[in-house]
Amino acid sequence: MEILYCYLFFMFIFSVSSASDPFSEALLSLKSEFTVPPDVLNDWVIPQEQNPSPNIHACSWTGVQCDQNSTKVIGLDLSLKNLSGVLSGVQFNQFVDLIDLNISHNSFSGELPIGIFNLTSLKTLDISRNNFSGDFPIGISNLQNLEVLDAFSNSFSGSLPPDVCEIASVKILNFAGSYFSGPIPGAYGSCKSLDFLHLAGNSLTGYLPIEFGHLQTVTHMEIGYNSYQGNIPWQFGNMSELQYLDIAGANLSGPIPKDLGKLTKLNTLFLFKNHLSGLIPVEIGNILTLSSLDLSDNMLSGPIPESFSDLKSLKLLSLMYNDMNGSIPEGIAKLPELESLLIWDNLFSGTLPQELGKHSKLIYVDVSSNGFVGVIPPDICSQGALTKLMLFSNYFTGSLSSISNCSSLIRIRLEDNSFSGDISLDFKLLSNVSYIDLSGNRFTNGIPSDIFLASNLEFFSVSNNPELGGTLPEKTWSSPALQNFSASSCNISGEIPGFQFCKSLYSIELNQNHLSGIIPESLSVCNSLGTLNLAGNNFSGEIPAKLGNSMKLKSLNLSNNDLSGPIPFTSMEITSFLGNPNLCGAPLVTPCHNGNGIHTGMELRSRNHKIAWVLILSAIVVVLLASLFGIIYYRKQNVNRNWNLDSFGGLPNLTASDVLKSFDSIEAMESPHSSNSVCKAVLLTGMTVIVRKIEWGAKSSNLLMDFVNRIGNARHKNVIRLLGFCYDKNLGYLLYEYLPNGNLDEKIGIKRDWGSKHRLVVNIAKGLCFLHHDCRPAISHGNLKAGNVVFDENMEPRLSEFAFKTISAMESGEYNGVTDHELKDDIFSFGELVLEILTNGKRKKWGMSVQRTPKDVILKEIYNENEVGASSSSKSTQEEIKVVLEVVLGCTTSKVSDRPSMEEVLKILSRLK
């Protein structure tokens, strides 16, 4: 039917265009290939019964630019129009005078039409932020007048076009954010006029071309986030006009060449997240224009060069996560523009320069996990800009007087040092601070009584300060944003203050102190409380019965006190109550008795069971009714709520209201998964997306938002893309690209040759390796299975439904970071999935069983399923299958610590074929 409409539309245009011009006809033909949203390009029409005219009708149309006489089309700008479709390119033959073509920020797909290369007058070609795929076609060198080529953020694969630098005029070249592979052509070093080169975020390999040393005009180069081999060529030091150089995350090794010190116009140098080693060349200190220097996450050694004291323009110095040593040069403190000093996780020693912060507006200082001694520099906050101070895991001593009145601070981490004296922080002035960790020090004289005045404080820890003493301040729990309070092993005495304002409070740790009295019954009003540890104190009396009704409390430890009476909890571990000889009832073996000798525990449990059944049945009815009314309510109210839309590329230029309107129609949404929180939706533009609904509490908001942004900006060929996030205060919709070619579970029985299976396994491994090793912090998939491997238009596998276990933990406020165990669980699931692929779906979830089955039995089955015989031609395939099976056995071993990392797995699999 759609084809018929297009045909009728074309015939109509043809019938009324006898008086029109070929340019307008070509543009209408081009429009017929678009999927066009309502109210877009509506003025692209030709008036009927118009007298012949030398002028072009289209000159008055949206996005069309003509010359002064309206006889030539010289510009076409269709950017940000929410257009989609596959372009044939046949119409471009008509526009030989076109100078500027911009179709960026749309959703065009398929291969880039080679007809574009007939636009020989083009100076600017912008096809960025679309979804063009396949190889970039040969022929770009036909555009001999081209100055700007922007292909950023597409899905191109194959090699970079080798002939682009045959265009002497090209100044801007952007192929970043696709899936180009293979080496950078050495010919790119011959771009005579090149000013801007961006190749980052692809799958490029090979050695960096030494020919780049011939680029005498380039000022901006980003070629990182690829997987090269070898080192940085010394010839890069010959790019004399270079101002910005980014080769981060590129798998580079070897030393930093001292020749980079010749780049005397450089203001930004990013080489972080590589395998660079050796000393930092003193010649880097010759780059007096340097503003941002990030060499973090490498294997660099030795001290910070004294020559860095000459970098008077330096704002960012990041050397964290290396093996550097020595002390910090005093001259670093005198750099007038320095804002961020990030040198954590090295082997530095000595004292911090005592003038640090005196001469510049320091914003962020992180020197944690080193061997520093001495005191906090007295002027570190004198400029009033310091927001983050991270000094943990060193040997600092002295007091907090340097930061007691530092009102700009947001995050303070001083744990695991030897600070002493009072906690001399003026909480009334620390109105912005949200995180304070003073644990593992030698503070005395108790917790300050004005702590409740820190209105934005969320996390506070003074645990393991054995000489702290004192009592808990009366208004401890009155800080409105407080979520985590930890003061274990601090020699605190007295009683716990009553709870009145504790809506956000999630975790209380007061174990191993000398607290006494009863556990306040008002604790039960803390509805968000998930962790409570009061072990090793002197509490007496009964456990408040109301506390047992808390639905959020997941971790409880009341052991080693003097509590008595019945335990009001039904689902806590026995270890939570040990060391209280007068407690009774489950889970302890001591039953409770009433005056008639009847076991109160049994009586309570019987009554509780009846009440529970009534509550459960009532709850089911309430939930069903609430769900029904909730759906109606949300559909009516969504458009009126304060909704926002964050787009991560590839999503048409919609507003939050547009997205919500797309959900109004039941016909627009259908559930392709078992989870009713996931559905397929058709946006107003006609674009289909996968939607997942999430909800969260106030305490999870910032954490979850940051995580969603990380997912949105994480891009890999074998990981499904998050296109956008539509959200209000506590409800959101994650919008993922919709891939219509089904999932692996549906196609697991399809016969594939060994080469195809191997590629499938490797690509799945690449996606999982990206989540584990290229995302920092790592992201665990959490539910890797055949149903969550979907296929794109090229039948390439992509991991979907990843990270929802983490999101669920954030929704409930139970997120404590991704653990190594979660990553190892992913690896176990990967092993099971590979075995399922090898056996054409006959061995699902067979991870434990494969360990107990003789290897020759498994191999025989896999050989049969893959029709691998005993002939000499099959020997190599058999050997490869054996290697893959070894990977499966390693991934599914019961001892978690023995499982390989995904990086190791991918290296083994990639060596085959």
Side-chain angles (χ1 to χ4, degrees):
M1 184 63 70
E2 194 171 74
I3 295 173
L4 177 59
Y5 286 153
C6 290
Y7 174 78
L8 292 174
F9 174 78
F10 180 81
M11 291 305 295
F12 170 75
I13 293 299
F14 181 81
S15 66
V16 300
S17 62
S18 58
S20 72
D21 55 86
F23 301 101
S24 301
E25 290 181 17
L27 287 173
L28 287 175
S29 173
L30 184 64
K31 180 184 176 182
S32 71
E33 296 179 354
F34 300 163
T35 298
V36 186
D39 303 322
V40 175
L41 304 185
N42 285 348
D43 59 345
W44 280 36
V45 292
I46 297 175
Q48 298 186 39
E49 301 177 0
Q50 185 127 20
N51 294 325
S53 169
N55 295 337
I56 300 171
H57 291 298
C59 291
S60 62
W61 295 355
T62 298
V64 179
Q65 181 186 359
C66 295
D67 63 354
Q68 288 185 344
N69 299 321
S70 296
T71 57
K72 297 178 182 179
V73 176
I74 60 173
L76 183 60
D77 185 353
L78 299 178
S79 61
L80 296 164
K81 294 290 189 293
N82 301 337
L83 304 172
S84 58
V86 177
L87 305 181
S88 68
V90 296
Q91 303 88 350
F92 292 129
N93 292 324
Q94 187 65 49
F95 299 99
V96 293
D97 300 305
L98 198 66
I99 297 173
D100 299 303
L101 175 60
N102 187 348
I103 57 173
S104 66
H105 291 80
N106 286 295
S107 299
F108 292 118
S109 57
E111 295 187 352
L112 183 70
I114 197 169
I116 284 181
F117 299 153
N118 294 325
L119 305 175
T120 53
S121 298
L122 271 187
K123 290 185 177 180
T124 301
L125 174 59
D126 190 346
I127 58 172
S128 63
R129 297 187 185 276
N130 280 286
N131 197 30
F132 289 114
S133 59
D135 290 350
F136 194 91
I138 299 295
I140 188 71
S141 58
N142 291 343
L143 307 181
Q144 283 297 308
N145 295 298
L146 196 65
E147 296 178 0
V148 176
L149 173 56
D150 192 347
F152 173 73
S153 189
N154 278 280
S155 295
F156 290 115
S157 56
S159 302
L160 289 167
D163 56 339
V164 68
C165 283
E166 294 176 18
I167 307 171
S169 56
V170 69
K171 296 178 180 179
I172 295 176
L173 191 56
N174 191 343
F175 286 121
S178 277
Y179 307 111
F180 287 108
S181 57
I184 301 173
Y188 279 26
S190 63
C191 286
K192 297 178 181 178
S193 305
L194 194 63
D195 178 72
F196 180 100
L197 178 63
H198 196 356
L199 306 175
N202 282 289
S203 302
L204 298 173
T205 56
Y207 295 94
L208 293 179
I210 60 175
E211 291 87 350
F212 275 5
H214 300 308
L215 295 174
Q216 298 298 305
T217 57
V218 68
T219 64
H220 186 112
M221 179 182 288
E222 293 181 64
I223 56 176
Y225 299 100
N226 285 290
S227 189
Y228 307 115
Q229 62 188 102
N231 54 16
I232 302 171
W234 63 265
Q235 289 88 347
F236 276 36
N238 293 332
M239 292 185 282
S240 55
E241 296 298 313
L242 203 59
Q243 299 174 23
Y244 189 105
L245 177 60
D246 184 348
I247 327 179
N251 197 43
L252 296 169
S253 57
I256 298 172
K258 64 180 181 180
D259 300 83
L260 295 187
K262 296 190 294 183
L263 302 176
T264 55
K265 296 184 179 181
L266 201 65
N267 59 54
T268 299
L269 177 59
F270 289 156
L271 301 177
F272 58 88
K273 201 168 186 272
N274 281 291
H275 305 289
L276 300 173
S277 57
L279 304 177
I280 298 175
V282 296
E283 288 81 1
I284 299 297
N286 297 333
I287 312 175
L288 301 182
T289 55
L290 203 58
S291 173
S292 297
L293 176 62
D294 193 338
L295 308 178
S296 61
D297 203 351
N298 279 289
M299 296 182 288
L300 298 171
S301 57
I304 299 174
E306 288 285 345
S307 61
F308 278 20
S309 300
D310 297 326
L311 299 176
K312 304 301 183 182
S313 299
L314 198 64
K315 292 183 178 181
L316 166 68
L317 176 59
S318 180
L319 305 173
M320 59 189 184
Y321 203 39
N322 277 289
D323 296 313
M324 299 182 67
N325 55 34
S327 58
I328 309 302
E330 290 292 331
I332 296 295
K334 298 178 182 179
L335 298 178
E337 302 295 327
L338 190 64
E339 296 177 350
S340 298
L341 177 63
L342 312 176
I343 57 175
W344 61 271
D345 206 347
N346 278 283
L347 303 171
F348 291 118
S349 57
T351 60
L352 292 180
Q354 288 305 288
E355 294 190 8
L356 191 64
K358 184 177 182 179
H359 305 283
S360 64
K361 288 189 175 182
L362 277 180
I363 297 174
Y364 189 2
V365 174
D366 190 342
V367 301
S368 54
S369 299
N370 279 288
F372 289 112
V373 297
V375 299
I376 301 174
D379 297 308
I380 197 164
C381 192
S382 62
Q383 300 288 331
L386 190 65
T387 61
K388 296 180 182 179
L389 180 61
M390 322 287 271
L391 309 181
F392 63 87
S393 298
N394 281 286
Y395 302 99
F396 288 110
T397 55
S399 69
L400 304 184
S401 57
S402 300
I403 60 170
S404 59
N405 300 321
C406 190
S407 59
S408 57
L409 278 169
I410 295 174
R411 197 170 181 87
I412 306 171
R413 292 194 61 183
L414 310 180
E415 67 266 28
D416 299 328
N417 281 286
S418 297
F419 290 109
S420 58
D422 294 356
I423 299 176
S424 53
L425 297 175
D426 191 338
F427 288 96
K428 179 176 62 178
L429 295 178
L430 296 176
S431 57
N432 296 314
V433 73
S434 64
Y435 192 106
I436 300 176
D437 195 341
L438 308 176
S439 61
N441 281 286
R442 300 174 182 174
F443 290 111
T444 55
N445 295 326
I447 298 170
S449 60
D450 63 345
I451 184 175
F452 71 97
L453 294 176
S455 56
N456 286 299
L457 185 61
E458 297 176 356
F459 181 100
F460 180 78
S461 176
V462 288
S463 291
N464 299 308
N465 279 276
E467 301 170 31
L468 184 64
T471 60
L472 291 173
E474 183 180 352
K475 295 184 178 181
T476 297
W477 319 117
S478 297
S479 185
L482 191 62
Q483 297 177 18
N484 295 72
F485 184 90
S486 179
S488 57
S489 301
C490 287
N491 202 26
I492 298 173
S493 57
E495 298 185 356
I496 296 182
F499 295 81
Q500 295 178 351
F501 310 102
C502 57
K503 290 183 178 179
S504 300
L505 200 58
Y506 174 74
S507 175
I508 300 174
E509 295 178 339
L510 294 170
N511 49 300
Q512 308 306 319
N513 283 293
H514 300 289
L515 295 165
S516 57
I518 63 171
I519 298 174
E521 187 173 6
S522 57
L523 186 59
S524 61
V525 305
C526 303
N527 296 325
S528 299
L529 193 65
T531 298
L532 177 64
N533 192 343
L534 304 179
N537 282 286
N538 300 313
F539 291 110
S540 58
E542 294 190 356
I543 302 171
K546 289 183 178 179
L547 196 59
N549 297 327
S550 174
M551 301 297 291
K552 294 287 183 71
L553 195 60
K554 304 297 182 185
S555 177
L556 175 69
N557 194 345
L558 303 177
S559 62
N560 298 311
N561 280 284
D562 192 23
L563 299 169
S564 58
I567 295 173
F569 298 95
T570 59
S571 60
M572 295 295 176
E573 297 290 332
I574 190 172
T575 53
S576 300
F577 308 103
L578 296 177
N580 291 278
N582 295 316
L583 280 180
C584 62
L588 298 176
V589 295
T590 307
C592 296
H593 298 276
N594 62 18
N596 298 319
I598 301 172
H599 289 191
T600 305
M602 294 173 60
E603 187 179 279
L604 280 172
R605 282 195 295 273
S606 176
R607 185 167 68 249
N608 285 344
H609 284 159
K610 293 178 182 178
I611 294 172
W613 275 111
V614 172
L615 290 175
I616 289 170
L617 291 173
S618 300
I620 291 172
V621 174
V622 170
V623 168
L624 289 173
L625 290 173
S627 298
L628 178 62
F629 287 112
I631 292 170
I632 298 171
Y633 176 81
Y634 272 116
R635 286 188 171 163
K636 289 183 178 180
Q637 297 297 323
N638 273 345
V639 293
N640 299 319
R641 299 174 70 177
N642 187 23
W643 286 84
N644 301 282
L645 177 64
D646 291 342
S647 178
F648 303 114
L651 190 69
N653 189 28
L654 298 171
T655 64
S657 178
D658 293 332
V659 172
L660 294 171
K661 286 176 184 177
S662 302
F663 300 165
D664 285 345
S665 169
I666 295 176
E667 291 77 26
M669 302 184 73
E670 60 183 83
S671 177
H673 302 283
S674 58
S675 170
N676 58 12
S677 64
V678 181
C679 61
K680 184 173 70 174
V682 180
L683 302 181
L684 295 180
T685 62
M687 182 182 185
T688 302
V689 294
I690 292 293
V691 183
R692 174 177 274 269
K693 184 177 79 172
I694 58 174
E695 299 180 67
W696 59 90
K699 64 175 178 287
S700 304
S701 179
N702 291 338
L703 186 65
L704 194 141
M705 291 292 179
D706 288 344
F707 187 68
V708 168
N709 270 284
R710 280 208 301 124
I711 296 175
N713 291 311
R715 296 186 56 185
H716 190 273
K717 183 179 181 180
N718 300 114
V719 174
I720 199 167
R721 291 186 188 178
L722 177 62
L723 304 176
F725 183 40
C726 186
Y727 61 94
D728 71 347
K729 187 176 181 181
N730 56 11
L731 173 67
Y733 297 100
L734 297 166
L735 310 178
Y736 289 88
E737 64 180 335
Y738 170 62
L739 302 178
N741 285 331
N743 60 53
L744 179 58
D745 192 45
E746 298 167 350
K747 305 178 187 301
I748 194 69
I750 295 176
K751 290 289 184 181
R752 293 181 175 89
D753 59 48
W754 172 243
S756 298
K757 283 188 177 181
H758 175 255
R759 285 192 297 274
L760 175 62
V761 168
V762 167
N763 285 330
I764 294 171
K766 285 180 178 178
L768 195 56
C769 188
F770 170 77
L771 295 177
H772 284 199
H773 298 283
D774 292 327
C775 297
R776 290 181 68 99
I779 297 174
S780 68
H781 188 288
N783 191 22
L784 183 62
K785 58 183 181 180
N788 289 336
V789 176
V790 294
F791 293 99
D792 64 15
E793 65 276 7
N794 298 316
M795 293 308 294
E796 290 287 333
R798 299 222 202 154
L799 303 186
S800 68
E801 296 285 301
F802 66 91
F804 290 131
K805 186 176 180 181
T806 301
I807 290 174
S808 296
M810 289 179 176
E811 286 177 293
S812 62
E814 297 173 359
Y815 177 71
N816 294 309
V818 174
T819 66
D820 185 65
H821 198 285
E822 289 174 309
L823 300 179
K824 295 295 189 181
D825 285 347
D826 277 354
I827 291 164
F828 183 92
S829 299
F830 174 80
E832 287 190 320
L833 181 57
V834 172
L835 190 62
E836 189 175 345
I837 293 170
L838 295 181
T839 61
N840 297 324
K842 293 186 177 180
R843 297 298 181 187
K844 288 189 177 185
K845 297 293 181 182
W846 216 50
M848 290 300 182
S849 299
V850 73
Q851 299 289 337
R852 299 190 295 267
T853 307
K855 194 184 299 184
D856 58 339
V857 173
I858 303 171
L859 282 172
K860 184 178 180 181
E861 180 178 351
I862 295 173
Y863 291 161
N864 291 337
E865 286 295 332
N866 292 276
E867 299 179 353
V868 177
S871 64
S872 57
S873 60
S874 300
K875 288 294 183 184
S876 61
T877 301
Q878 288 184 4
E879 291 304 314
E880 290 179 358
I881 289 175
K882 288 178 182 178
V883 173
V884 176
L885 181 58
E886 289 297 331
V887 169
V888 170
L889 293 171
C891 291
T892 56
T893 183
S894 57
K895 190 175 181 181
V896 174
S897 60
D898 286 347
R899 294 173 193 166
S901 69
M902 277 311 302
E903 209 167 37
E904 293 168 332
V905 168
L906 185 57
K907 283 181 181 178
I908 295 170
L909 294 175
S910 297
R911 282 199 286 264
L912 304 178
K913 291 282 184 186

